[in-house]
Amino acid sequence: RCLSDWSSDVCSSDLTLNMGAPKSVVAILNPVPALLDDAVKNIAGDTPLDAVAPGSIVSILGVNLAPAEQAGPSSPLVQALGNITVSLGSQLLPLRFVSPGRINAQLPPDLQPGPYTVTVHSDGNPDVSAAFTVARNAPGLFHTMVNGKAYGMFLHQDGTPITSDSPAQQNETVTLLGTGFGPLLQNPPEGFAVSQSANTAAADPIVIVSGGNTITPSYAGAADGTVGLVSIQFQITAPP
């Protein structure tokens, strides 16, 4: 918080108090934005690599970043939500969501690996910035927590969630969702939803390791109709 004014026995923002008798002083504070240490993270949560990938959806974590929660359109993403903008140098990032503690945005798909600084601007407040690192691949998987254990966000072929009450079936093709799996063969314009196709497959190989077995996905690339998300599709088969 920053000092807005003094009140009670002080009548100016410049504090001068002559003590000839007991006095009362009240500091009036206004909330101002601040970013946490390691503020820029994969939206899916903590990942083994302390970096984020080009084109991925990230969360920017802090306090007093926005006056309230506000979600933007799903596509195309907007560059301002309320009075909030996020910039990377001279470039404004597409925003999905803002709130006092979190801003969700998409990184440009053409970012090269290396260090960067992101800046959050809100009208009437000082800008706040945080450094972060970009890596070519910095994957994160969406998940839900059940009894303290993370379970991946797997989907049936009809798009409904796979759960203990609705398990995957033998020979079914299931989908796992994430973000941060690196460049696509043809990177789409940032902020716009894309359709799944051969052109929007991941440029780098992706394999699934389960119980010592290696599975090659039937498709790994842009998740159909989304911005910045990756769909990994593979068939449930019996182990060899």
Side-chain angles (χ1 to χ4, degrees):
R1 292 174 178 268
C2 70
L3 177 65
S4 173
D5 205 349
W6 300 96
S7 69
S8 196
D9 288 322
V10 178
C11 59
S12 170
S13 58
D14 297 323
L15 179 59
T16 301
L17 187 62
N18 296 318
M19 297 294 292
K23 301 290 184 178
S24 173
V25 177
V26 177
I28 303 172
L29 302 177
N30 287 334
V32 295
L35 294 176
L36 303 184
D37 294 337
D38 297 323
V40 182
K41 293 184 175 294
N42 189 304
I43 193 177
D46 290 330
T47 61
L49 188 62
D50 187 19
V52 288
S56 64
I57 303 297
V58 298
S59 289
I60 303 165
L61 306 177
V63 294
N64 304 318
L65 300 179
E69 292 186 1
Q70 184 175 352
S74 58
S75 177
L77 303 186
V78 295
Q79 294 180 328
L81 276 176
N83 65 340
I84 308 300
T85 60
V86 178
S87 59
L88 200 62
S90 61
Q91 186 172 5
L92 293 177
L93 299 187
L95 303 180
R96 290 182 52 172
F97 172 82
V98 299
S99 71
R102 176 190 298 262
I103 296 173
N104 296 338
Q106 185 190 23
L107 294 179
D110 59 354
L111 281 184
Q112 296 301 306
Y116 291 87
T117 298
V118 68
T119 298
V120 177
H121 171 81
S122 58
D123 293 344
N125 288 309
D127 290 350
V128 287
S129 300
F132 67 102
T133 301
V134 168
R136 179 179 173 90
N137 301 292
L141 296 175
F142 292 102
H143 60 275
T144 56
M145 299 299 295
V146 179
N147 296 325
K149 186 175 183 179
Y151 288 82
M153 187 179 293
F154 291 87
L155 305 177
H156 289 289
Q157 287 178 247
D158 63 2
T160 58
I162 293 173
T163 65
S164 57
D165 295 326
S166 179
Q169 302 299 313
Q170 188 73 19
N171 298 320
E172 179 183 10
T173 296
V174 303
T175 296
L176 177 60
L177 294 177
T179 189
F181 285 77
L184 306 178
L185 293 177
Q186 182 176 315
N187 283 318
E190 62 192 78
F192 285 81
V194 297
S195 299
Q196 176 179 318
S197 72
N199 290 333
T200 57
D204 298 336
I206 296 175
V207 297
I208 300 165
V209 178
S210 176
N213 299 314
T214 299
I215 304 169
T216 300
S218 56
Y219 172 82
D224 194 47
T226 70
V227 176
L229 303 188
V230 168
S231 168
I232 302 170
Q233 300 167 9
F234 62 98
Q235 188 177 41
I236 300 295
T237 58

